[in-house]
Amino acid sequence: MDLVSTALLMTAGLASGLAGSIGGLASLFSYPALLAFGLPPVVANVTNTVAMFSTTVGTAAGSRPELRGHGRRVAKLVVVAAIGGSAGAWLLLATPDKAFEVAAPWLIAFGSALLLARDPLRRLADARAARMASSASFLPLAVAVALVGVYGGYFGAASGVIMLAVLCAAATEPLAVTNAVKNMATGAANITAAVAYAFLAPVHWLAAGALSCGCLVGSWLGPKIVRRLPERPLRFAIALAGLGLAASLWVT
């Protein structure tokens, strides 16, 4: 890797860390950057997953005010998401190389649509929660989080968008808090998959290192930006960017 490639990957990592910690679209920048760097799709995918480890570290450090008081909730979601991430990594390693490319754009578009429809989904979730005990209502949320974790471990592009949509439908709270919880859940799925890929997949370690340096800085700054931006325009911008990523994957 030359200095220009290293600088470009670090810049892409910075943008990915910001986008990922704000709304779950880290791969909007990092995955295309790795493809442009010349990596084959599967190598780019596993390298991207390993590089995103630093995003979890950065968001955890930057989101401490939002996560305060949510330790038990986050712990349960992290365990469920980690199980899903492990299953997703196994699925990628056990299936043909190009299989994930077919499903990914549809999943990204679905997650973006869910994010656009968050308010009606919240109303439905609130009505349902009023009729059920919180312990009983955790099961469908856990299933949804596990499925998103599977996707996050399998491919990961915009898994944060889908996770954010799921958590927004299940909780009535400021977007910054939901976003911080989302970052921990998707991070758990990513870390378990990254560990598997580090030992079993063809990771390009130099590219992963350059990308992760930028991700660490961007993900630390992201939660600070979320606290200061208006919620509705930010959510719509995230969803539209997700649709744009899905469209770009369809045409390529």
Side-chain angles (χ1 to χ4, degrees), residues 41-43 45-46 86-104 150-151 153-155 197 200-202:
V42 170
V43 178
N45 181 42
V46 297
S86 299
W90 173 84
L91 188 63
L92 179 71
L93 294 172
T95 54
D97 287 354
K98 292 187 177 180
F100 76 93
E101 295 179 59
V102 177
V150 171
Y151 171 64
Y154 179 64
F155 184 20
Y197 295 153
L200 301 174

Side-chain angles (χ1 to χ4, degrees), residues 85-230:
S86 299
W90 173 84
L91 188 63
L92 179 71
L93 294 172
T95 54
D97 287 354
K98 292 187 177 180
F100 76 93
E101 295 179 59
V102 177
W106 296 99
L107 291 168
I108 294 168
F110 176 66
S112 300
L114 283 178
L115 200 55
L116 288 171
R118 192 204 66 177
D119 290 339
L121 289 172
R122 264 190 174 179
R123 287 192 290 269
L124 287 173
D126 289 345
R128 187 174 182 276
R131 299 192 300 267
M132 298 178 62
S134 59
S135 59
S137 64
F138 179 73
L139 180 60
L141 174 61
V143 171
V145 168
L147 290 174
V148 179
V150 171
Y151 171 64
Y154 179 64
F155 184 20
S159 61
V161 169
I162 306 174
M163 187 72 78
L164 185 61
V166 168
L167 295 177
C168 280
T172 302
E173 60 192 4
L175 180 63
V177 174
T178 311
N179 190 62
V181 175
K182 174 267 298 177
N183 288 333
M184 295 300 98
T186 54
N190 177 82
I191 288 172
T192 55
V195 171
Y197 295 153
F199 291 99
L200 301 174
V203 176
H204 192 297
W205 288 102
L206 291 178
L211 196 62
S212 65
C213 289
C215 286
L216 182 63
V217 177
S219 59
W220 177 73
L221 292 172
K224 302 177 186 300
I225 295 174
V226 171
R227 295 181 197 124
R228 292 168 172 79
L229 291 180

Side-chain angles (χ1 to χ4, degrees), residues 25-83:
L25 278 174
S27 294
L28 179 66
F29 299 97
S30 58
Y31 184 68
L34 290 168
L35 293 177
F37 179 65
L39 299 183
V42 170
V43 178
N45 181 42
V46 297
T47 300
N48 184 54
T49 300
V50 170
M52 290 300 108
F53 172 82
S54 63
T55 300
T56 305
V57 176
T59 52
S63 299
R64 284 178 296 177
E66 286 78 17
L67 293 173
R68 192 172 294 117
H70 294 275
R72 182 174 298 180
R73 172 192 177 196
V74 169
K76 291 192 292 185
L77 293 175
V78 160
V79 170
V80 172
I83 293 171

Side-chain angles (χ1 to χ4, degrees), residues 1-7 9 37 204-208 210:
M1 269 180 36
D2 56 27
L3 290 177
V4 173
S5 297
T6 301
L9 284 175
F37 179 65
H204 192 297
W205 288 102
L206 291 178

